[in-house]
Amino acid sequence: MTNKEENVVTKRKFSWTNDGPFEFLRIVASVLVALVITFIVLCFVAPEPVDTFIKLLTYPVKSKLYFGYVLVKMVPLCFAGLATALYFRTGLFNLSTEGVFYISGVVCTYFAINETFMTGNGFLDSAICIIAAGIFGGLIALIPGYLKAKFNADEMVISLMLNNILFGIGYWFVLNHLAISGITGTASADFIASAKLSNIIPKTQVHSGIILALIMVILVYILMFKTKLGYSIRMTGSNKSFARYSGMGAFGLFMAVHFLAGFIGGMGSSVELLGLYRKFNWSTLPGLGFTGALIANIGKNHPLGVLLASFGISYLRAGAQLLANSNPVIDISMISIVEVIVTLLISSQYFLRKWRDKQLLKEEQKNG
């Protein structure tokens, strides 16, 4: 390439039709469309739709406590999104993060209420619970990975079935081994104080788990874009035949991805429990399987995108929850309208495509 040609490439003008800017534009446009539809719905159910809509968008920033609520709710969404993004990047539609979160939470609880495993040191005790839950989550996630790699089984069907199986096993274990004898219910004993994550912002619920979530975003970014394994993951997602030529093989790649995703899911579960709860009292699945897919989709399976999507969804959910507490007309499930519309528009290959084609045609005519 000549110096003149290099200068042309270097000085390439910014355009909204380029892949990166266009994806950003699609996300922003999708959110705006979803918010407009939400406002229309409010016009039918709320006596003062404009005031209610403004409160929905501004409630979380009215106080430090409210904004802390946003950050706290963002943490499990971020972990679930990162785990699912690894699957999606590899071309796998796996939703087992739901079951992994639950069963790993049970494992975390087993360690967190047992003084035998505790040292009295807050850092070590939290680390023991989080690492144990992460490793167990990674091992459990190998089940659909093995079946997919060995027998080419449908990972979506397996993961959905596995979620219910893991819930059943976990619930039985809680009921028979963790629940306090003689007390009605299925809650465990209180977590040992040294196992709990510390609060880092006074007068809020924000705990050190948010730091772990940010560290995990950085580590997944490094994995995806700075390592050979990450390159294999991205290329296999684009071309399923790539793994067999990458030198690693499809079996090893699928197993590695499933273990890492399961580890992240298990870690997220323990961080959520040790940061916010006094004891394990989950009587249902936490609902993070499909939410993880939602976050990964909105974030375009990119770690930084997952972080932003987690914050955005958490912000909207927090706003709806806080508003619902003071306004009986508002239901928190209303925010699902925004989530579903945003996901559909971002996932659609046709949204704004005609506009992009017209812009590209104008650019070609102008340059030609």
Side-chain angles (χ1 to χ4, degrees), residues 51-121:
D51 182 62
T52 303
F53 185 70
I54 292 174
K55 285 182 178 179
L56 177 66
L57 298 182
T58 60
Y59 224 117
V61 294
K62 284 188 174 183
S63 72
K64 184 170 70 172
L65 176 63
Y66 291 166
F67 192 73
Y69 183 68
V70 174
L71 297 180
V72 163
K73 292 301 180 184
M74 181 187 80
V75 173
L77 300 182
C78 187
F79 278 104
L82 289 173
T84 310
L86 277 177
Y87 290 132
F88 287 0
R89 274 283 187 175
T90 320
L92 301 167
F93 197 79
N94 190 315
L95 299 174
S96 62
T97 304
E98 180 91 352
V100 167
F101 251 77
Y102 188 88
I103 197 72
S104 296
V106 174
V107 172
C108 171
T109 301
Y110 177 75
F111 282 85
I113 66 174
N114 197 329
E115 293 185 359
T116 306
F117 301 106
M118 298 293 100
T119 65
N121 181 286

Side-chain angles (χ1 to χ4, degrees), residues 127-320:
I128 289 171
C129 298
I130 292 171
I131 293 172
I135 292 175
F136 190 84
L139 293 175
I140 287 295
L142 290 178
I143 296 174
Y146 178 81
L147 295 175
K148 173 65 177 179
K150 197 71 174 178
F151 305 106
N152 197 30
D154 190 313
E155 69 276 7
M156 184 183 73
V157 175
I158 295 172
S159 63
L160 292 176
M161 294 175 63
L162 185 64
N163 287 338
N164 290 315
I165 293 172
L166 292 177
F167 171 70
I169 294 173
Y171 190 80
W172 175 87
F173 191 84
V174 171
L175 192 63
N176 291 278
H177 298 283
L178 299 182
I180 301 174
S181 179
I183 296 179
T184 303
T186 56
S188 71
D190 287 353
F191 298 138
I192 295 171
S194 58
K196 293 274 293 175
L197 293 176
S198 57
N199 187 288
I200 60 174
I201 301 181
K203 298 181 180 180
T204 71
Q205 292 181 302
V206 180
H207 52 79
S208 55
I210 192 169
I211 298 175
L212 295 176
L214 294 175
I215 292 173
M216 188 54 63
V217 168
I218 295 171
L219 291 177
V220 173
Y221 176 85
I222 293 173
L223 168 71
M224 279 191 178
F225 300 101
K226 304 295 181 181
T227 67
K228 182 180 177 181
L229 175 60
Y231 179 74
S232 298
I233 289 172
R234 289 184 287 119
M235 290 301 101
T236 302
S238 302
N239 181 1
K240 293 186 181 298
S241 300
F242 179 84
R244 72 182 67 166
Y245 303 111
S246 66
M248 185 175 189
F251 183 84
L253 179 64
F254 285 159
M255 296 299 280
V257 167
H258 279 79
F259 179 81
L260 290 172
F263 183 91
I264 293 172
M267 183 178 176
S269 174
S270 56
V271 166
E272 173 75 351
L273 283 169
L274 300 179
L276 282 184
Y277 292 76
R278 290 191 304 108
K279 61 183 70 177
F280 184 93
N281 57 6
W282 293 349
S283 58
T284 60
L285 288 170
L288 289 168
F290 289 101
T291 303
L294 166 73
I295 298 296
N297 253 316
I298 296 176
K300 305 303 293 183
N301 300 325
H302 191 289
L304 298 180
V306 166
L307 178 63
L308 293 175
S310 301
F311 176 79
I313 294 299
S314 177
Y315 187 92
L316 290 173
R317 287 185 176 183

